[in-house]
Amino acid sequence: AALLALQGGLVGIESSSFKGSSTVDLTDNPEQRYEEYLTRKNTPDGILGYRTGFPTIDNSISGIQNGQLIVVAALPKTGKSTICLQMALSVHEAGHPVMFKSFEMTNDEQARRYDSMRSRLSHHRLMTGTLEQEEEARFLSGLKSLSQFKAGFHLVPGAEGRTVTSIANNIQILQPSLVVIDGVYLMQDEQTKEMNTPAALTNITRSLKNLALNVNIPIIINTQYLGHKMKGGRATLDSIGYASSFAQDADIVMGLERIDDDDSVRLLKIMASRNSGGAEVKLSWEWDTATFREFEEDDF
């Protein structure tokens, strides 16, 4: 408790003016911006940020970028936790450290999901100990390959703090390149001491956006649609429940939906973005191999 309090104090200091000003004079060294443009020009596919693993989405938003707050919304049990974990896995496999904090699942549950998705295994068979011999070999090979990763994939249990300050503490310690918060509506607001109220969630999303800017990394959070706010079975920004601040504070809002009650297909779409237009893509949702990807031409 004392260490967490100390870390909280350090976070407060770093967020204050003591860390120095970030003010930029645009007339100072403007040639640097042209050099930055050339770097973007020579970047494959023009992707500036971290790849989500879904090419259509990445091409639209140029990847998830430092300082951004990204919201993923879906109806309950649609797969919002799964899609966030898949994005985190993509960033980790590219060699970047990840922090994944879940308020809905235990670390053991998340670890099994991570292992099944990395090794393309049925989560159910992995959980029940009924993998076939070839799958067991693939599982073991996947586990051994993790020793080659220099970057960590850190699971942080929700029980170890439900506030933005606790998340900032974790970031200070773990130094991730990406943070994912699974079930942000289960967090506690430090100002009102409330949970899951419009005022509390507004304070939380504002604080998380400020945190993303201060630590200069992307933060992905997920939340739920309210079924009665959907129109003809399709979601809009107004369908996001609890507080309008999710759409107001986010740099990117993604929505995940089932299509015609087909559990093997999902629709992932960019509902709003500060720097790009909308986009949507159909995803193959294969539970038997824990494979969640864009459909390709060979699939048709």
Side-chain angles (χ1 to χ4, degrees):
L3 288 173
L4 288 175
L6 177 60
Q7 286 290 333
L10 292 174
V11 169
I13 290 173
E14 288 201 352
S15 298
S16 71
S17 58
F18 286 103
K19 70 177 183 179
S21 173
S22 298
T23 302
V24 175
D25 181 356
L26 292 179
T27 66
D28 183 25
N29 195 18
E31 294 84 1
Q32 180 180 348
R33 297 201 291 280
Y34 184 71
E35 294 299 324
E36 292 171 352
Y37 161 75
L38 292 178
T39 298
R40 294 194 296 272
K41 178 181 178 180
N42 295 321
T43 299
D45 302 324
I47 302 298
L48 298 180
Y50 303 109
R51 296 177 185 272
T52 65
F54 304 108
T56 298
I57 300 300
D58 289 331
N59 290 335
S60 174
I61 62 175
S62 195
I64 51 178
Q65 300 167 39
N66 289 334
Q68 289 184 333
L69 179 66
I70 300 100
V71 170
V72 177
L75 285 173
K77 306 300 183 291
T78 301
K80 62 183 183 299
S81 298
T82 299
I83 205 75
C84 287
L85 184 56
Q86 183 64 61
M87 292 179 186
L89 182 61
S90 175
V91 172
H92 184 231
E93 290 190 329
H96 307 289
V98 170
M99 171 182 145
F100 197 103
K101 187 176 180 80
S102 179
F103 293 103
E104 297 190 321
M105 296 185 219
T106 67
N107 279 358
D108 286 342
E109 290 176 302
Q110 291 288 15
R112 285 194 295 269
R113 283 173 171 251
Y114 173 88
D115 289 336
S116 67
M117 290 164 70
R118 277 203 77 240
S119 300
R120 298 291 185 255
L121 301 169
S122 163
H123 176 260
H124 178 73
R125 290 200 297 275
L126 178 63
M127 181 176 62
T128 56
T130 56
L131 294 176
E132 297 178 0
Q133 186 173 2
E134 183 274 332
E135 292 175 320
E136 287 183 357
R138 196 161 73 245
F139 177 35
L140 181 58
S141 176
L143 292 176
K144 289 182 177 180
S145 70
L146 284 173
S147 63
Q148 302 172 9
F149 279 72
K150 294 181 179 180
F153 194 106
H154 306 280
L155 298 179
V156 181
E160 293 185 3
R162 293 183 174 272
T163 65
V164 174
T165 294
S166 69
I167 291 170
N169 291 339
N170 296 140
I171 292 172
Q172 286 285 334
I173 295 169
L174 301 174
Q175 295 293 304
S177 295
L178 170 71
V179 171
V180 179
I181 303 172
D182 182 28
V184 71
Y185 43 85
L186 296 174
M187 290 180 63
Q188 182 179 26
D189 174 34
E190 293 168 270
Q191 298 180 46
T192 65
K193 308 302 180 187
E194 297 174 346
M195 297 175 62
N196 207 18
T197 65
L201 288 168
T202 297
N203 290 335
I204 289 168
T205 58
R206 300 272 154 84
S207 297
L208 287 173
K209 173 55 185 174
N210 287 332
L211 178 60
L213 288 171
N214 285 334
V215 297
N216 196 33
I217 61 174
I219 297 179
I220 300 176
I221 63 178
N222 64 37
T223 189
Q224 296 180 345
Y225 290 142
L226 296 181
H228 67 273
K229 287 190 173 183
M230 297 179 71
K231 300 178 180 179
R234 301 300 300 273
T236 66
L237 286 177
D238 293 333
S239 305
I240 299 176
Y242 313 118
S244 59
S245 64
F246 285 105
Q248 294 169 353
D249 297 332
D251 297 276
I252 300 168
V253 181
M254 300 186 193
L256 184 70
E257 300 175 28
R258 284 188 173 91
I259 299 179
D260 300 326
D261 295 324
D262 185 348
D263 200 40
S264 66
V265 181
R266 296 289 190 276
L267 180 70
L268 180 63
K269 58 184 180 180
I270 301 295
M271 304 177 69
S273 173
R274 295 192 196 281
N275 300 315
S276 71
E280 62 179 46
V281 63
K282 288 184 178 180
L283 305 182
S284 174
W285 211 258
E286 302 171 21
W287 291 110
D288 196 49
T289 58
T291 302
F292 312 102
R293 60 177 177 82
E294 283 194 26
F295 277 106
E296 300 173 354
E297 291 186 3
D298 292 343
D299 295 319
F300 300 99

Short mmCIF file of all heavy atoms in Angstrom, two decimals, residues 238-275:
data_model
loop_
_atom_site.label_atom_id
_atom_site.label_comp_id
_atom_site.label_asym_id
_atom_site.label_seq_id
_atom_site.Cartn_x
_atom_site.Cartn_y
_atom_site.Cartn_z
N ASP A 238 -24.79 6.74 -30.45
CA ASP A 238 -25.78 6.93 -29.38
C ASP A 238 -26.11 5.62 -28.67
O ASP A 238 -26.73 5.64 -27.60
CB ASP A 238 -27.07 7.54 -29.94
CG ASP A 238 -26.86 8.96 -30.43
OD1 ASP A 238 -25.94 9.63 -29.91
OD2 ASP A 238 -27.61 9.40 -31.33
N SER A 239 -25.72 4.48 -29.27
CA SER A 239 -26.02 3.19 -28.65
C SER A 239 -25.09 2.86 -27.49
O SER A 239 -25.36 1.95 -26.70
CB SER A 239 -25.92 2.07 -29.69
OG SER A 239 -26.75 2.33 -30.80
N ILE A 240 -23.97 3.59 -27.39
CA ILE A 240 -23.02 3.32 -26.31
C ILE A 240 -23.64 3.75 -24.99
O ILE A 240 -24.11 4.87 -24.84
CB ILE A 240 -21.69 4.06 -26.55
CG1 ILE A 240 -21.06 3.57 -27.85
CG2 ILE A 240 -20.74 3.86 -25.39
CD1 ILE A 240 -19.79 4.30 -28.23
N GLY A 241 -23.67 2.82 -24.04
CA GLY A 241 -24.40 3.05 -22.81
C GLY A 241 -23.66 3.85 -21.76
O GLY A 241 -22.47 4.10 -21.87
N TYR A 242 -24.43 4.26 -20.78
CA TYR A 242 -23.94 4.83 -19.52
C TYR A 242 -23.53 6.29 -19.59
O TYR A 242 -23.88 7.08 -18.73
CB TYR A 242 -22.77 4.00 -18.95
CG TYR A 242 -23.01 2.52 -18.94
CD1 TYR A 242 -22.21 1.66 -19.68
CD2 TYR A 242 -24.07 1.97 -18.21
CE1 TYR A 242 -22.44 0.29 -19.68
CE2 TYR A 242 -24.31 0.61 -18.20
CZ TYR A 242 -23.50 -0.23 -18.94
OH TYR A 242 -23.74 -1.58 -18.94
N ALA A 243 -22.72 6.70 -20.58
CA ALA A 243 -22.27 8.09 -20.64
C ALA A 243 -21.88 8.45 -22.06
O ALA A 243 -21.31 7.63 -22.79
CB ALA A 243 -21.08 8.31 -19.70
N SER A 244 -22.17 9.70 -22.45
CA SER A 244 -21.80 10.17 -23.78
C SER A 244 -20.31 10.46 -23.90
O SER A 244 -19.80 10.66 -25.00
CB SER A 244 -22.59 11.44 -24.12
OG SER A 244 -22.31 12.47 -23.17
N SER A 245 -19.60 10.47 -22.78
CA SER A 245 -18.18 10.82 -22.78
C SER A 245 -17.33 9.79 -23.52
O SER A 245 -16.21 10.11 -23.96
CB SER A 245 -17.66 10.98 -21.35
OG SER A 245 -17.73 9.76 -20.64
N PHE A 246 -17.82 8.56 -23.67
CA PHE A 246 -17.05 7.56 -24.43
C PHE A 246 -16.80 8.07 -25.85
O PHE A 246 -15.68 7.99 -26.36
CB PHE A 246 -17.79 6.23 -24.48
CG PHE A 246 -17.74 5.46 -23.19
CD1 PHE A 246 -18.85 5.40 -22.37
CD2 PHE A 246 -16.59 4.80 -22.80
CE1 PHE A 246 -18.81 4.70 -21.17
CE2 PHE A 246 -16.54 4.10 -21.61
CZ PHE A 246 -17.65 4.04 -20.79
N ALA A 247 -17.84 8.60 -26.49
CA ALA A 247 -17.69 9.11 -27.85
C ALA A 247 -16.98 10.46 -27.85
O ALA A 247 -16.21 10.77 -28.77
CB ALA A 247 -19.05 9.24 -28.51
N GLN A 248 -17.20 11.27 -26.82
CA GLN A 248 -16.61 12.61 -26.77
C GLN A 248 -15.10 12.58 -26.55
O GLN A 248 -14.35 13.35 -27.15
CB GLN A 248 -17.29 13.43 -25.68
CG GLN A 248 -18.76 13.73 -25.95
CD GLN A 248 -19.47 14.30 -24.74
OE1 GLN A 248 -18.92 14.36 -23.64
NE2 GLN A 248 -20.71 14.74 -24.93
N ASP A 249 -14.65 11.71 -25.66
CA ASP A 249 -13.25 11.72 -25.26
C ASP A 249 -12.35 10.84 -26.12
O ASP A 249 -11.13 11.03 -26.14
CB ASP A 249 -13.11 11.28 -23.79
CG ASP A 249 -13.83 12.23 -22.84
OD1 ASP A 249 -13.96 13.41 -23.18
OD2 ASP A 249 -14.26 11.78 -21.77
N ALA A 250 -12.93 9.87 -26.81
CA ALA A 250 -12.12 8.93 -27.59
C ALA A 250 -11.62 9.56 -28.88
O ALA A 250 -12.30 10.38 -29.51
CB ALA A 250 -12.93 7.69 -27.91
N ASP A 251 -10.42 9.18 -29.27
CA ASP A 251 -9.90 9.55 -30.58
C ASP A 251 -10.47 8.64 -31.66
O ASP A 251 -10.66 9.05 -32.80
CB ASP A 251 -8.37 9.44 -30.59
CG ASP A 251 -7.73 10.41 -29.62
OD1 ASP A 251 -7.54 11.57 -29.98
OD2 ASP A 251 -7.45 9.99 -28.48
N ILE A 252 -10.72 7.38 -31.28
CA ILE A 252 -11.28 6.39 -32.20
C ILE A 252 -12.34 5.58 -31.45
O ILE A 252 -12.11 5.13 -30.32
CB ILE A 252 -10.20 5.43 -32.73
CG1 ILE A 252 -9.10 6.20 -33.47
CG2 ILE A 252 -10.81 4.37 -33.65
CD1 ILE A 252 -7.87 5.36 -33.76
N VAL A 253 -13.49 5.41 -32.06
CA VAL A 253 -14.54 4.54 -31.52
C VAL A 253 -14.78 3.41 -32.51
O VAL A 253 -15.13 3.66 -33.66
CB VAL A 253 -15.86 5.30 -31.26
CG1 VAL A 253 -16.91 4.35 -30.68
CG2 VAL A 253 -15.63 6.48 -30.32
N MET A 254 -14.56 2.19 -32.04
CA MET A 254 -14.82 1.00 -32.87
C MET A 254 -16.04 0.28 -32.33
O MET A 254 -16.26 0.22 -31.11
CB MET A 254 -13.63 0.04 -32.85
CG MET A 254 -12.33 0.61 -33.36
SD MET A 254 -11.05 -0.69 -33.46
CE MET A 254 -9.58 0.31 -33.68
N GLY A 255 -16.82 -0.30 -33.23
CA GLY A 255 -17.97 -1.09 -32.84
C GLY A 255 -17.85 -2.50 -33.36
O GLY A 255 -17.36 -2.73 -34.48
N LEU A 256 -18.27 -3.46 -32.56
CA LEU A 256 -18.24 -4.87 -32.95
C LEU A 256 -19.66 -5.42 -32.87
O LEU A 256 -20.34 -5.26 -31.85
CB LEU A 256 -17.31 -5.66 -32.02
CG LEU A 256 -17.11 -7.13 -32.36
CD1 LEU A 256 -16.29 -7.29 -33.64
CD2 LEU A 256 -16.43 -7.87 -31.21
N GLU A 257 -20.10 -6.07 -33.95
CA GLU A 257 -21.47 -6.60 -34.00
C GLU A 257 -21.50 -7.98 -34.62
O GLU A 257 -20.64 -8.33 -35.44
CB GLU A 257 -22.37 -5.68 -34.84
CG GLU A 257 -22.49 -4.25 -34.35
CD GLU A 257 -23.30 -3.39 -35.30
OE1 GLU A 257 -24.18 -3.94 -36.01
OE2 GLU A 257 -23.04 -2.18 -35.37
N ARG A 258 -22.49 -8.77 -34.22
CA ARG A 258 -22.81 -10.00 -34.94
C ARG A 258 -23.56 -9.63 -36.22
O ARG A 258 -24.16 -8.56 -36.30
CB ARG A 258 -23.68 -10.92 -34.10
CG ARG A 258 -22.93 -11.65 -33.00
CD ARG A 258 -23.85 -12.69 -32.36
NE ARG A 258 -23.15 -13.52 -31.41
CZ ARG A 258 -23.05 -13.26 -30.11
NH1 ARG A 258 -23.62 -12.16 -29.64
NH2 ARG A 258 -22.39 -14.06 -29.30
N ILE A 259 -23.54 -10.54 -37.19
CA ILE A 259 -24.27 -10.33 -38.43
C ILE A 259 -25.30 -11.43 -38.58
O ILE A 259 -24.96 -12.61 -38.69
CB ILE A 259 -23.31 -10.33 -39.65
CG1 ILE A 259 -22.28 -9.20 -39.50
CG2 ILE A 259 -24.10 -10.16 -40.93
CD1 ILE A 259 -21.30 -9.13 -40.65
N ASP A 260 -26.56 -11.03 -38.54
CA ASP A 260 -27.66 -11.98 -38.74
C ASP A 260 -27.56 -13.19 -37.82
O ASP A 260 -27.82 -14.34 -38.22
CB ASP A 260 -27.71 -12.45 -40.21
CG ASP A 260 -27.92 -11.30 -41.17
OD1 ASP A 260 -28.63 -10.36 -40.79
OD2 ASP A 260 -27.38 -11.34 -42.27
N ASP A 261 -27.18 -12.96 -36.57
CA ASP A 261 -27.09 -14.02 -35.56
C ASP A 261 -26.14 -15.15 -35.94
O ASP A 261 -26.22 -16.26 -35.42
CB ASP A 261 -28.48 -14.61 -35.27
CG ASP A 261 -29.41 -13.58 -34.63
OD1 ASP A 261 -28.90 -12.77 -33.83
OD2 ASP A 261 -30.61 -13.60 -34.94
N ASP A 262 -25.23 -14.88 -36.90
CA ASP A 262 -24.24 -15.88 -37.29
C ASP A 262 -23.04 -15.75 -36.35
O ASP A 262 -22.31 -14.76 -36.39
CB ASP A 262 -23.81 -15.63 -38.74
CG ASP A 262 -22.86 -16.71 -39.26
OD1 ASP A 262 -22.37 -17.52 -38.44
OD2 ASP A 262 -22.61 -16.73 -40.48
N ASP A 263 -22.82 -16.76 -35.51
CA ASP A 263 -21.76 -16.67 -34.50
C ASP A 263 -20.37 -16.82 -35.09
O ASP A 263 -19.38 -16.63 -34.38
CB ASP A 263 -21.97 -17.74 -33.41
CG ASP A 263 -21.23 -17.39 -32.14
OD1 ASP A 263 -21.21 -16.20 -31.76
OD2 ASP A 263 -20.64 -18.31 -31.53
N SER A 264 -20.26 -17.15 -36.38
CA SER A 264 -18.94 -17.32 -37.00
C SER A 264 -18.48 -16.07 -37.73
O SER A 264 -17.41 -16.07 -38.34
CB SER A 264 -18.96 -18.50 -37.98
OG SER A 264 -19.82 -18.22 -39.08
N VAL A 265 -19.28 -15.01 -37.68
CA VAL A 265 -18.96 -13.77 -38.39
C VAL A 265 -19.20 -12.58 -37.46
O VAL A 265 -20.15 -12.56 -36.69
CB VAL A 265 -19.81 -13.60 -39.67
CG1 VAL A 265 -19.44 -12.31 -40.40
CG2 VAL A 265 -19.63 -14.79 -40.59
N ARG A 266 -18.30 -11.59 -37.55
CA ARG A 266 -18.49 -10.34 -36.84
C ARG A 266 -18.25 -9.18 -37.81
O ARG A 266 -17.57 -9.34 -38.83
CB ARG A 266 -17.50 -10.19 -35.67
CG ARG A 266 -17.66 -11.20 -34.56
CD ARG A 266 -18.91 -10.98 -33.74
NE ARG A 266 -18.92 -11.82 -32.55
CZ ARG A 266 -19.31 -13.09 -32.52
NH1 ARG A 266 -19.71 -13.67 -33.64
NH2 ARG A 266 -19.31 -13.77 -31.39
N LEU A 267 -18.81 -8.05 -37.50
CA LEU A 267 -18.57 -6.83 -38.24
C LEU A 267 -17.84 -5.87 -37.32
O LEU A 267 -18.34 -5.51 -36.25
CB LEU A 267 -19.88 -6.20 -38.72
CG LEU A 267 -19.73 -4.88 -39.52
CD1 LEU A 267 -19.11 -5.16 -40.88
CD2 LEU A 267 -21.08 -4.20 -39.68
N LEU A 268 -16.64 -5.46 -37.71
CA LEU A 268 -15.86 -4.48 -36.96
C LEU A 268 -15.84 -3.19 -37.77
O LEU A 268 -15.49 -3.19 -38.95
CB LEU A 268 -14.43 -4.98 -36.73
CG LEU A 268 -13.50 -4.05 -35.94
CD1 LEU A 268 -14.01 -3.84 -34.51
CD2 LEU A 268 -12.07 -4.62 -35.91
N LYS A 269 -16.21 -2.10 -37.13
CA LYS A 269 -16.29 -0.84 -37.88
C LYS A 269 -15.74 0.33 -37.08
O LYS A 269 -15.77 0.33 -35.84
CB LYS A 269 -17.74 -0.55 -38.29
CG LYS A 269 -18.73 -0.46 -37.13
CD LYS A 269 -20.14 -0.26 -37.67
CE LYS A 269 -21.16 -0.17 -36.53
NZ LYS A 269 -22.54 0.01 -37.03
N ILE A 270 -15.18 1.28 -37.81
CA ILE A 270 -14.77 2.55 -37.23
C ILE A 270 -16.01 3.45 -37.23
O ILE A 270 -16.48 3.89 -38.28
CB ILE A 270 -13.64 3.21 -38.04
CG1 ILE A 270 -12.43 2.30 -38.13
CG2 ILE A 270 -13.26 4.56 -37.43
CD1 ILE A 270 -11.75 2.02 -36.82
N MET A 271 -16.53 3.72 -36.05
CA MET A 271 -17.74 4.53 -35.95
C MET A 271 -17.42 6.02 -35.92
O MET A 271 -18.23 6.84 -36.34
CB MET A 271 -18.51 4.13 -34.69
CG MET A 271 -18.85 2.65 -34.64
SD MET A 271 -19.69 2.18 -33.12
CE MET A 271 -21.28 2.99 -33.33
N ALA A 272 -16.26 6.36 -35.37
CA ALA A 272 -15.83 7.76 -35.32
C ALA A 272 -14.32 7.79 -35.15
O ALA A 272 -13.74 6.93 -34.50
CB ALA A 272 -16.51 8.49 -34.16
N SER A 273 -13.69 8.79 -35.75
CA SER A 273 -12.25 8.94 -35.64
C SER A 273 -11.89 10.40 -35.84
O SER A 273 -12.44 11.06 -36.73
CB SER A 273 -11.52 8.08 -36.67
OG SER A 273 -10.13 8.34 -36.66
N ARG A 274 -10.98 10.90 -35.03
CA ARG A 274 -10.57 12.31 -35.17
C ARG A 274 -9.79 12.55 -36.45
O ARG A 274 -9.80 13.66 -36.99
CB ARG A 274 -9.70 12.73 -33.98
CG ARG A 274 -10.38 12.73 -32.64
CD ARG A 274 -9.54 13.44 -31.60
NE ARG A 274 -9.98 13.14 -30.23
CZ ARG A 274 -11.00 13.70 -29.63
NH1 ARG A 274 -11.71 14.61 -30.27
NH2 ARG A 274 -11.33 13.36 -28.39
N ASN A 275 -9.08 11.55 -36.93
CA ASN A 275 -8.13 11.76 -38.03
C ASN A 275 -8.43 10.97 -39.29
O ASN A 275 -7.61 10.96 -40.21
CB ASN A 275 -6.71 11.41 -37.54
CG ASN A 275 -6.28 12.27 -36.37
OD1 ASN A 275 -6.47 13.47 -36.38
ND2 ASN A 275 -5.71 11.65 -35.35
#
